[in-house]
């Protein structure tokens, strides 16, 4: 399981992780909790579905949302940094996307998900278009992407 690798790597580094999730609705955090020893590394998991919650709890700037839209790498990066800093974690994950079936536009179609990863002070962002594969499939694919990217980023350091 991908989350097991993340827990192992975080334990080795002595680091904590925090999640800020929107379209995944806490699924990434739940996957980590399924792993024995998750309590050694998990600091917080926050579902911030509304824009106002992203601003209030994560420190996402309202102007960032206004300029880029809530589904953007800029917002996902601020979510990741905000949840990590707010909880004293060395790693933060931010996820914002359009799981569907509605809500998509030509510019930002259903299946578009933006990710932010805050790792030891640096922010990395990514965008993936999973396609209109169904709401829960987009959520599952997003969580898999989170853990693959975390493994990649944590192994890089």
């Amino acid at each position: 399981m991908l989350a097991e690798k993340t827990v192992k790597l975080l334990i080795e580094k002595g680091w904590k992780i925090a999640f800020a999730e929107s379209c995944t609705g806490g699924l990434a955090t739940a996957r980590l909790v399924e792993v024995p020893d998750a309590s050694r590394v998990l600091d917080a998991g926050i579902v911030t579905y509304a824009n106002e919650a992203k601003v209030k709890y994560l420190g996402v700037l309202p102007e960032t949302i206004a300029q880029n839209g809530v589904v953007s790498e800029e917002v996902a990066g601020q979510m990741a940094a905000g949840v990590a800093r707010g909880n004293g974690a060395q790693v933060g994950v931010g996820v914002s996307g359009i799981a569907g079936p509605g809500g998509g536009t030509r510019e930002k179609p259903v299946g578009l998900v933006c990710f932010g990863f805050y790792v030891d002070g640096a922010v990395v962002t990514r965008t993936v278009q999973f396609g209109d594969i169904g709401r829960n499939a987009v959520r599952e694919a997003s969580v898999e992407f989170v853990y693959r990217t975390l493994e990649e980023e944590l192994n890089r350091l």
Side-chain angles (χ1 to χ4, degrees), residues 51-136:
N51 293 357
E52 296 80 10
K54 290 172 181 65
V55 171
K56 181 177 181 179
Y57 298 110
L58 305 173
V60 173
L61 301 174
E63 52 269 24
T64 303
I65 295 172
Q67 290 169 6
N68 304 286
V70 72
V71 178
S72 64
E73 289 188 14
E74 292 83 0
V75 168
Q78 286 184 10
M79 289 171 68
V83 76
R85 290 181 185 134
N87 291 286
Q90 293 80 13
V91 179
V93 176
V95 184
S96 183
I98 305 162
T105 65
R106 177 174 287 206
E107 297 79 26
K108 295 184 180 182
V110 169
L112 183 77
V113 183
C114 297
F115 301 88
F117 299 91
Y118 174 94
V119 181
D120 198 26
V123 176
V124 173
T125 58
R126 303 270 191 276
T127 298
V128 179
Q129 172 49 266
F130 294 108
D132 192 355
I133 58 175
R135 182 174 187 79
N136 289 328

Side-chain angles (χ1 to χ4, degrees), residues 19-36:
F19 294 86
E21 301 183 65
S22 188
C23 70
T24 48
L27 192 58
T29 305
R31 281 290 143 71
L32 196 82
V33 172
E34 292 170 1
V35 178

